[in-house]
Amino acid sequence: MRRGFKADAERRAEAARTDLGLDPLAKLDPWVYAAKLGVLVFDVNDLDLDPAHVSQLLVHDPDSWSGMTLDEDGVRLIVLNNAQSKRRQCSTLMHELSHLILEHVPASVNVSPSGLTLLSDYSDEQEEEADWLGAALLLPQAALLHHRSTGSSMQEIARHFGVSDDLCSWRCRMTGVEKRLAFRARA
């Protein structure tokens, strides 16, 4: 990641809450945020797909994908895999929104037979940035520090913010929240 990106992601997470009229420690609903950004969010059932294709995407191979971004004539649309848990969809939606916020340009662009532009194959660095920003938007460092310092477990924080336990644990570890709390406890 480029120098200063992590701090910038925290500032963006705070600014997103300000834009939505939320407290800096409040839960940010990814669907509300997408609407604020003018991005449409659909699930597979909202698309006019052949039932065999829907079955392939949601029944036979639901773990092969989480979401995708479509862009046509300035209309931005994110399609989510509704066979996955709501917590997973939150993470996926915020990841896809992060690519748009950061104005990432995919390394390759595929066009569907109907002419829709399917954005895919971002660089590893762009994927890492989208992962980090998406997670920061969902679980800002300040909120993690606040909730952990008041005794909330990672599972309680994850439930409160509507994300997976794994994502909450990863953010607490990667932001140094756990180390800071351990240091405070020793002091």
Coordinates of all heavy atoms in Angstrom, one line a residue, residues 98-147:
S98 N -15.3 0.6 -2.2 CA -14.0 1.2 -2.0 C -13.3 1.3 -3.4 O -12.5 2.3 -3.6 CB -13.2 0.3 -1.0 OG -13.8 0.4 0.2
H99 N -13.4 0.3 -4.2 CA -12.8 0.4 -5.6 C -13.3 1.7 -6.3 O -12.5 2.4 -6.9 CB -13.1 -0.8 -6.4 CG -12.3 -2.0 -6.1 ND1 -10.9 -2.0 -6.2 CD2 -12.6 -3.3 -5.8 CE1 -10.4 -3.2 -5.9 NE2 -11.5 -4.0 -5.7
L100 N -14.6 1.9 -6.2 CA -15.2 3.1 -6.8 C -14.7 4.4 -6.2 O -14.4 5.4 -6.9 CB -16.7 3.0 -6.8 CG -17.3 1.9 -7.6 CD1 -18.8 1.8 -7.4 CD2 -17.0 2.0 -9.1
I101 N -14.7 4.4 -4.8 CA -14.3 5.6 -4.1 C -12.8 6.0 -4.5 O -12.5 7.1 -4.6 CB -14.4 5.4 -2.6 CG1 -15.9 5.3 -2.2 CG2 -13.7 6.5 -1.8 CD1 -16.1 4.7 -0.8
L102 N -12.0 5.0 -4.5 CA -10.6 5.2 -4.8 C -10.3 5.3 -6.3 O -9.1 5.5 -6.7 CB -9.8 4.0 -4.2 CG -9.8 3.9 -2.7 CD1 -9.3 2.5 -2.2 CD2 -9.1 5.0 -2.0
E103 N -11.3 5.2 -7.1 CA -11.2 5.4 -8.5 C -10.2 4.4 -9.1 O -9.4 4.8 -10.0 CB -10.9 6.8 -8.9 CG -12.0 7.8 -8.5 CD -11.7 9.3 -8.8 OE1 -10.5 9.6 -9.2 OE2 -12.6 10.1 -8.6
H104 N -10.2 3.2 -8.6 CA -9.4 2.2 -9.2 C -9.7 1.8 -10.6 O -10.9 1.8 -10.9 CB -9.4 0.9 -8.3 CG -8.7 1.0 -7.0 ND1 -9.0 0.2 -6.0 CD2 -7.8 1.9 -6.6 CE1 -8.2 0.5 -4.9 NE2 -7.5 1.5 -5.3
V105 N -8.7 1.6 -11.4 CA -8.9 1.2 -12.8 C -8.5 -0.2 -12.9 O -7.4 -0.6 -12.5 CB -8.1 2.1 -13.7 CG1 -8.2 1.6 -15.2 CG2 -8.4 3.6 -13.6
P106 N -9.4 -1.1 -13.3 CA -9.1 -2.5 -13.3 C -8.0 -2.8 -14.3 O -7.8 -2.1 -15.3 CB -10.4 -3.2 -13.8 CG -11.2 -2.1 -14.3 CD -10.8 -0.8 -13.7
A107 N -7.2 -3.8 -14.0 CA -6.1 -4.2 -14.9 C -6.7 -4.8 -16.2 O -6.0 -4.7 -17.3 CB -5.2 -5.3 -14.2
S108 N -7.9 -5.4 -16.1 CA -8.5 -5.9 -17.4 C -10.0 -5.6 -17.2 O -10.5 -5.5 -16.1 CB -8.3 -7.4 -17.6 OG -9.0 -8.1 -16.6
V109 N -10.6 -5.3 -18.3 CA -12.1 -5.1 -18.4 C -12.7 -6.0 -19.3 O -12.3 -6.2 -20.4 CB -12.3 -3.6 -18.9 CG1 -13.8 -3.3 -19.0 CG2 -11.6 -2.6 -18.0
N110 N -13.8 -6.7 -18.8 CA -14.5 -7.6 -19.7 C -15.9 -7.0 -20.0 O -16.5 -6.3 -19.2 CB -14.7 -8.9 -18.9 CG -13.4 -9.5 -18.5 OD1 -12.5 -9.7 -19.3 ND2 -13.3 -9.9 -17.2
V111 N -16.3 -7.3 -21.2 CA -17.6 -6.8 -21.7 C -18.6 -8.0 -21.9 O -18.2 -9.0 -22.5 CB -17.5 -6.0 -23.0 CG1 -18.8 -5.5 -23.5 CG2 -16.5 -4.8 -22.8
S112 N -19.8 -7.9 -21.3 CA -20.7 -9.0 -21.4 C -21.3 -9.0 -22.8 O -21.2 -8.0 -23.6 CB -21.9 -8.8 -20.4 OG -22.7 -7.8 -20.8
P113 N -21.9 -10.1 -23.2 CA -22.5 -10.2 -24.6 C -23.5 -9.1 -24.8 O -23.7 -8.7 -26.0 CB -23.2 -11.6 -24.6 CG -22.4 -12.4 -23.6 CD -22.0 -11.4 -22.5
S114 N -24.2 -8.6 -23.8 CA -25.2 -7.6 -24.0 C -24.5 -6.2 -24.0 O -25.2 -5.2 -24.2 CB -26.2 -7.6 -22.9 OG -25.6 -7.3 -21.6
G115 N -23.2 -6.1 -23.8 CA -22.5 -4.8 -23.9 C -22.2 -4.2 -22.6 O -21.7 -3.1 -22.5
L116 N -22.6 -4.8 -21.5 CA -22.3 -4.2 -20.1 C -20.8 -4.4 -19.9 O -20.2 -5.4 -20.2 CB -23.1 -5.0 -19.0 CG -24.6 -4.7 -19.0 CD1 -25.2 -5.6 -17.9 CD2 -24.9 -3.2 -18.6
T117 N -20.3 -3.3 -19.3 CA -18.9 -3.4 -18.9 C -18.8 -4.0 -17.5 O -19.4 -3.5 -16.6 CB -18.3 -2.0 -18.9 OG1 -18.4 -1.4 -20.1 CG2 -16.8 -2.0 -18.5
L118 N -18.0 -5.1 -17.4 CA -17.8 -5.8 -16.1 C -16.4 -5.5 -15.7 O -15.5 -5.8 -16.3 CB -18.0 -7.3 -16.3 CG -19.2 -7.8 -17.0 CD1 -19.1 -9.3 -17.2 CD2 -20.4 -7.5 -16.1
L119 N -16.3 -4.8 -14.5 CA -15.0 -4.4 -14.0 C -14.5 -5.6 -13.2 O -15.1 -6.1 -12.4 CB -15.1 -3.2 -13.1 CG -15.7 -1.9 -13.8 CD1 -15.7 -0.8 -12.8 CD2 -15.0 -1.5 -15.0
S120 N -13.2 -6.0 -13.5 CA -12.7 -7.1 -12.8 C -11.2 -7.0 -12.9 O -10.6 -6.2 -13.5 CB -13.2 -8.4 -13.4 OG -12.8 -8.5 -14.7
D121 N -10.5 -7.9 -12.1 CA -9.1 -8.1 -12.2 C -8.3 -6.8 -11.8 O -7.6 -6.3 -12.6 CB -8.7 -8.6 -13.5 CG -9.2 -10.0 -13.8 OD1 -9.4 -10.8 -12.8 OD2 -9.4 -10.3 -15.0
Y122 N -8.5 -6.3 -10.6 CA -7.8 -5.2 -10.1 C -6.4 -5.7 -9.8 O -6.2 -6.9 -9.5 CB -8.4 -4.6 -8.9 CG -9.7 -3.9 -9.2 CD1 -10.9 -4.5 -9.0 CD2 -9.7 -2.6 -9.7 CE1 -12.1 -3.8 -9.3 CE2 -10.9 -1.9 -10.0 CZ -12.1 -2.5 -9.8 OH -13.3 -1.9 -10.1
S123 N -5.4 -4.8 -9.7 CA -4.1 -5.2 -9.3 C -4.1 -5.6 -7.8 O -5.0 -5.3 -7.1 CB -3.1 -4.0 -9.4 OG -3.4 -3.0 -8.5
D124 N -3.1 -6.3 -7.4 CA -3.0 -6.8 -6.0 C -3.0 -5.6 -5.1 O -3.6 -5.6 -4.0 CB -1.7 -7.6 -5.8 CG -1.8 -9.0 -6.5 OD1 -2.9 -9.4 -6.9 OD2 -0.7 -9.6 -6.6
E125 N -2.3 -4.5 -5.4 CA -2.2 -3.3 -4.6 C -3.6 -2.7 -4.4 O -4.0 -2.3 -3.4 CB -1.2 -2.3 -5.1 CG -1.2 -1.1 -4.2 CD -0.2 0.0 -4.6 OE1 0.6 -0.2 -5.6 OE2 -0.1 1.0 -4.0
Q126 N -4.3 -2.6 -5.6 CA -5.7 -2.1 -5.5 C -6.6 -2.9 -4.7 O -7.5 -2.4 -3.9 CB -6.3 -1.9 -6.9 CG -5.6 -0.8 -7.7 CD -6.1 -0.7 -9.1 OE1 -6.5 -1.6 -9.7 NE2 -6.0 0.5 -9.7
E127 N -6.5 -4.3 -4.8 CA -7.3 -5.2 -4.0 C -7.0 -5.0 -2.5 O -7.9 -4.9 -1.6 CB -7.1 -6.6 -4.4 CG -7.7 -7.0 -5.7 CD -9.2 -6.9 -5.7 OE1 -9.9 -6.9 -4.7 OE2 -9.8 -6.9 -6.8
E128 N -5.7 -4.8 -2.2 CA -5.3 -4.6 -0.8 C -5.9 -3.3 -0.2 O -6.4 -3.2 0.9 CB -3.8 -4.6 -0.7 CG -3.3 -4.6 0.7 CD -1.7 -4.7 0.7 OE1 -1.1 -5.3 -0.2 OE2 -1.1 -4.1 1.7
E129 N -5.8 -2.2 -1.1 CA -6.4 -0.9 -0.7 C -7.9 -1.0 -0.5 O -8.4 -0.5 0.5 CB -6.1 0.1 -1.7 CG -4.6 0.6 -1.7 CD -4.3 1.6 -2.8 OE1 -5.2 1.9 -3.6 OE2 -3.2 2.1 -2.8
A130 N -8.6 -1.7 -1.4 CA -10.1 -1.9 -1.2 C -10.4 -2.7 0.0 O -11.4 -2.4 0.7 CB -10.7 -2.5 -2.5
D131 N -9.6 -3.7 0.3 CA -9.8 -4.5 1.5 C -9.7 -3.6 2.7 O -10.5 -3.6 3.6 CB -8.8 -5.6 1.6 CG -9.1 -6.8 0.7 OD1 -10.3 -6.9 0.3 OD2 -8.2 -7.6 0.5
W132 N -8.6 -2.8 2.8 CA -8.3 -1.9 3.9 C -9.4 -0.9 4.1 O -9.9 -0.7 5.2 CB -6.9 -1.3 3.8 CG -6.5 -0.7 5.2 CD1 -6.8 0.6 5.6 CD2 -5.9 -1.4 6.2 NE1 -6.3 0.7 6.8 CE2 -5.8 -0.4 7.3 CE3 -5.4 -2.7 6.4 CZ2 -5.2 -0.7 8.5 CZ3 -4.9 -3.0 7.7 CH2 -4.7 -2.0 8.7
L133 N -9.7 -0.1 3.0 CA -10.7 0.9 3.1 C -12.0 0.4 3.5 O -12.8 0.9 4.3 CB -10.7 1.8 1.8 CG -11.8 2.9 1.8 CD1 -11.5 3.9 3.0 CD2 -11.8 3.6 0.5
G134 N -12.4 -0.7 2.8 CA -13.7 -1.3 3.1 C -13.9 -1.7 4.6 O -14.9 -1.4 5.2
A135 N -12.8 -2.3 5.1 CA -12.8 -2.7 6.5 C -12.8 -1.4 7.4 O -13.5 -1.4 8.5 CB -11.6 -3.6 6.8
A136 N -12.1 -0.4 7.1 CA -12.0 0.8 7.9 C -13.4 1.5 7.9 O -13.8 2.0 8.9 CB -11.0 1.8 7.4
L137 N -14.1 1.5 6.7 CA -15.4 2.1 6.7 C -16.4 1.3 7.6 O -17.2 1.9 8.2 CB -15.9 2.1 5.3 CG -15.3 3.2 4.3 CD1 -15.5 2.8 2.9 CD2 -15.8 4.6 4.7
L138 N -16.3 0.0 7.6 CA -17.2 -0.8 8.4 C -16.8 -0.8 9.9 O -17.7 -0.7 10.8 CB -17.2 -2.2 7.9 CG -17.8 -2.5 6.6 CD1 -17.5 -3.9 6.1 CD2 -19.4 -2.3 6.7
L139 N -15.5 -0.8 10.2 CA -15.0 -0.9 11.6 C -13.9 0.2 11.8 O -12.7 -0.2 11.8 CB -14.4 -2.3 11.8 CG -15.4 -3.4 11.8 CD1 -14.7 -4.7 11.7 CD2 -16.3 -3.4 13.1
P140 N -14.2 1.4 12.0 CA -13.1 2.4 12.2 C -12.3 2.1 13.4 O -12.8 1.6 14.4 CB -13.9 3.7 12.3 CG -15.3 3.5 12.2 CD -15.5 2.0 12.1
Q141 N -11.0 2.4 13.3 CA -10.1 2.2 14.4 C -10.6 2.8 15.7 O -10.5 2.2 16.8 CB -8.7 2.7 14.0 CG -7.7 2.4 15.0 CD -6.3 2.9 14.6 OE1 -6.1 3.1 13.4 NE2 -5.4 3.0 15.5
A142 N -11.1 4.0 15.6 CA -11.5 4.7 16.9 C -12.7 4.0 17.5 O -12.8 3.9 18.7 CB -11.9 6.1 16.5
A143 N -13.6 3.4 16.7 CA -14.7 2.7 17.3 C -14.3 1.4 17.9 O -14.7 1.0 18.9 CB -15.7 2.4 16.2
L144 N -13.3 0.7 17.2 CA -12.8 -0.5 17.8 C -12.1 -0.3 19.1 O -12.3 -1.0 20.1 CB -11.8 -1.2 16.8 CG -12.3 -1.7 15.5 CD1 -11.2 -2.2 14.6 CD2 -13.3 -2.9 15.8
L145 N -11.3 0.8 19.2 CA -10.6 1.1 20.4 C -11.6 1.4 21.5 O -11.5 1.0 22.7 CB -9.6 2.2 20.2 CG -8.7 2.6 21.3 CD1 -7.8 1.4 21.7 CD2 -7.8 3.7 20.9
H146 N -12.6 2.2 21.2 CA -13.6 2.6 22.2 C -14.4 1.3 22.7 O -14.5 1.2 23.9 CB -14.6 3.5 21.5 CG -15.9 3.7 22.3 ND1 -15.9 4.6 23.5 CD2 -17.1 3.2 22.2 CE1 -17.1 4.5 24.0 NE2 -17.9 3.7 23.3
H147 N -14.9 0.5 21.8 CA -15.6 -0.6 22.2 C -14.8 -1.7 23.0 O -15.3 -2.3 24.0 CB -16.4 -1.3 21.0 CG -17.5 -0.5 20.5 ND1 -18.7 -0.3 21.2 CD2 -17.7 0.2 19.4 CE1 -19.5 0.4 20.6 NE2 -18.9 0.8 19.4

